[in-house]
Amino acid sequence: MAGSGVPVTPAPCEFAVIDIGSNSIRLVLYRLEGRAVWTVFNEKVLAGLGRDLAATGRLSGDGAAMALTALKRFAAVLDGVRPARTFVAATAAVREAGDGEAFCARVAAETGLVIRVLSGEEEARYAALGVIAGMPAAHGVAADLGGSSLELAGIGHGRVGRGVTLPLGPFSLANDGPFDAGGLRAAIAERLKGAREYETDTLYAVGGAWRTLAQVHMGHARYPLHIVHQYVMEADEARDIARLVARSSRASLERWKGLSKKRAETLPHAALVLEGLIDRLGLKRVVVSAWGVREGLLFEALDEETAATDPLLAGCTALGARQGISPGLPGAIFGWIEPVVEALPRAFGPKRDRLLADAACRLADLGARLHPDHRVELAFDQVLRAPIPGQTHAERAFLAAAVNARYGGAAATPEPDTVSRLLNEEQRSAARALGLAIRLACDLSGRSPQLLVNARVAVADGMLVLSASEGYADVLLGEQTRRRGKALAEALGLKLDIRNGN
């Protein structure tokens, strides 16, 4: 429960996933600390296994050779790392190819890796589970676009609905002639006719092509935070960027910064599929998920209690514990500042604000091991860009602004333009006051939970009231406490009242 007891980081273990897709072969090594998931190694080979599938019904010969070479390397890496669990999964290309079974047998014989070939419904389900793992509140439709297929599954209230697979991957739409946007739009619309039951406001876009589209949109919008997970595009924005990509020549796409030649080849197809989904499903927004099938496999493997843990709180607990030195401090601070939390300006809604305050307290000791001359900037940057899911970009900025204030940073923060773009004035005020409350608790007590319990903070009648237990006033309510209390009171629009006893 948020704020209850001492946040505990479970003993870490390592999981590995090899994802054999129609376009890419990828090995990802994860370090799991309960619900906190860290990617510690990620290697991808764009083999194009499904490149010839539509024309021949078989895997690409060159792609299969590249894939086998990559899988031999991945098997050697796994032999060295020896993770606690390894998942090896193949999707549409291997599933649909006439020689898919023979490919799996050859991989097993030459590498020792046993491939699990996911059905279309299983692929849709794991992609949706991955979305839920990274965004527990997700409600809409998960859409995973691979090289050969598109999987759709409804999600809401932490559950996955029926999944469907459609032949809408770039390889299934490709032909030997020149790129024909008009003809492809018609083909996509025809293949999407059966998707009417998936009409929704929000699409959770999974897959490398759509992450690339999001990065293109970020560049055009001069977006300040280059994190694709939970990046949001309104439907009109997504349609505009899709149309821009679709009408760009392959040669011009290859000149775009950060876009590989192989991705440039398939990106216009992916853009047209997104455009078709916007029209067919009546979308209002597209939310990009960096989590998909691989993370869905991990999520399913967690025990029920761990899976139910909030990923933001778990991630902040693990990050704060790694950098901090006082495991009991976050819970003690959260309990102590609760009266202040109740008095903060509303930022994201009462329930969410309380959870974010809990998360900020778990980061209260983040700067303990950082150089004091750079502590503010380093702590701010770590929080803003931490690979912790379960938070919107605005919430990232909120927590970073709170940690900035906790360490005495100026109200402007190290990145004022970023924070101003992501947060409104009320949210910025709430973040700063929250950070100042945490700073007060830490400095008043010397970061000692045992001392903190002998002081009290309250908000009443336009006053921020600080008091101490009998015999502790001289110890806890000195000049530094007065300065910290005054800063917090001013941030809340209150006057400071220090009382020398209960």
Side-chain angles (χ1 to χ4, degrees):
M1 187 180 217
S4 60
V6 178
V8 176
T9 302
C13 64
E14 290 190 342
F15 281 16
V17 180
I18 294 177
D19 180 4
I20 303 170
S22 301
N23 194 28
S24 65
I25 314 292
R26 189 186 294 263
L27 166 64
V28 185
L29 298 178
Y30 299 92
R31 186 174 180 85
L32 274 66
E33 296 171 296
R35 186 70 160 82
V37 178
W38 312 100
T39 299
V40 296
F41 182 81
N42 189 331
E43 184 172 327
K44 175 182 70 174
V45 175
L46 288 172
L49 268 179
R51 185 178 305 277
D52 302 332
L53 190 62
T56 68
R58 298 174 65 83
L59 299 175
S60 162
D62 290 343
M66 287 183 66
L68 188 60
T69 299
L71 291 169
K72 287 179 180 178
R73 168 173 160 72
F74 293 168
V77 171
L78 293 176
D79 190 51
V81 174
R82 297 189 180 278
R85 293 194 64 176
T86 297
F87 304 88
V88 185
T91 53
V94 176
R95 178 173 68 238
E96 296 170 8
D99 56 347
E101 188 174 336
F103 172 78
C104 292
R106 185 179 178 191
V107 169
E110 297 191 26
T111 70
L113 297 172
V114 178
I115 299 172
R116 176 185 174 188
V117 181
L118 302 179
S119 69
E121 188 170 340
E122 285 176 326
E123 188 178 353
R125 177 174 172 272
Y126 281 118
L129 278 177
V131 172
I132 292 171
M135 290 179 267
H139 193 282
V141 169
D144 182 7
L145 183 66
S148 295
S149 64
L150 170 73
E151 279 70 43
L152 300 175
I155 50 176
H157 308 293
R159 299 176 180 273
V160 178
R162 188 180 74 86
V164 66
T165 184
L166 301 170
L168 282 165
F171 294 154
S172 69
L173 292 167
N175 55 52
D176 294 330
F179 181 78
D180 176 11
L184 283 170
R185 282 191 177 96
I188 290 166
E190 180 65 27
R191 297 184 190 190
L192 279 174
K193 282 184 176 179
R196 182 175 297 277
E197 67 178 275
Y198 294 96
E199 289 181 358
T200 185
D201 287 346
T202 306
L203 186 83
Y204 295 89
V206 178
W210 285 342
R211 290 195 298 272
T212 301
L213 278 177
Q215 290 165 344
V216 171
H217 185 264
M218 286 177 174
H220 279 262
R222 299 184 183 276
Y223 191 72
L225 192 59
H226 295 164
I227 295 174
V228 294
H229 188 64
Q230 293 193 235
Y231 182 67
V232 180
M233 295 180 285
E234 298 302 317
D236 288 345
E237 296 174 321
R239 184 186 285 108
D240 287 346
I241 205 69
R243 287 177 176 171
L244 171 66
V245 169
R247 66 172 177 259
S248 298
S249 68
R250 180 174 173 180
S252 67
L253 289 174
E254 289 176 358
R255 291 194 294 270
W256 288 11
K257 184 178 178 181
L259 193 61
S260 70
K261 289 185 177 181
K262 289 189 176 181
R263 182 63 76 192
E265 180 184 355
T266 60
L267 195 61
H269 296 78
L272 290 176
V273 173
L274 182 58
E275 185 183 331
L277 284 168
I278 291 169
D279 293 337
R280 167 54 65 181
L281 305 187
L283 301 177
K284 293 182 179 178
R285 70 194 63 84
V286 176
V287 181
V288 180
S289 174
W291 287 30
V293 170
R294 293 182 295 275
E295 291 74 21
L297 289 164
L298 295 185
F299 188 57
E300 185 182 59
L302 299 178
D303 63 76
E304 187 175 344
E305 182 180 358
T306 301
T309 305
D310 185 275
L312 175 58
L313 294 182
C316 289
T317 297
L319 184 62
R322 186 174 300 117
Q323 293 290 92
I325 57 177
S326 179
L329 185 63
I333 293 174
F334 184 71
W336 196 80
I337 68 169
E338 277 195 280
V340 176
V341 172
E342 296 301 318
L344 292 175
R346 292 277 73 87
F348 300 95
K351 184 176 180 180
R352 194 64 184 171
D353 288 353
R354 182 177 174 83
L355 185 139
L356 289 168
D358 190 357
C361 289
R362 295 172 192 236
L363 298 168
D365 218 18
L366 185 68
R369 302 175 195 265
L370 300 176
H371 194 291
D373 292 347
H374 302 283
R375 186 173 284 145
V376 170
E377 296 87 351
L378 290 172
F380 176 90
D381 188 65
Q382 283 191 60
V383 175
L384 184 65
R385 295 178 171 85
I388 296 175
Q391 55 180 331
T392 66
H393 286 199
E395 290 169 348
R396 286 178 173 276
F398 180 90
L399 288 175
V403 168
N404 168 75
R406 180 266 178 270
Y407 282 110
T413 79
E415 294 188 30
D417 293 341
T418 299
V419 172
S420 295
R421 182 158 178 180
L422 295 175
L423 298 178
N424 61 36
E425 184 176 351
E426 192 170 49
Q427 290 167 332
R428 294 195 298 272
S429 297
R432 182 156 184 81
L434 173 61
L436 291 173
I438 294 171
R439 182 171 172 81
L440 169 63
C442 289
D443 289 357
L444 174 150
S445 64
R447 298 170 46 264
S448 165
Q450 292 75 21
L451 271 180
L452 190 59
V453 297
N454 290 291
R456 303 285 184 276
V457 64
V459 176
D461 302 322
M463 309 290 287
L464 179 74
V465 182
L466 289 174
S467 59
S469 301
E470 186 176 351
Y472 283 88
D474 291 343
V475 176
L476 298 178
L477 303 181
E479 182 57 31
Q480 177 162 273
T481 296
R482 183 177 296 275
R483 291 198 306 271
R484 300 290 185 258
K486 183 179 179 183
L488 174 59
E490 289 177 351
L492 292 169
L494 305 172
K495 293 184 177 180
L496 178 65
D497 180 8
I498 294 184
R499 300 176 183 175
N500 292 330
N502 280 331

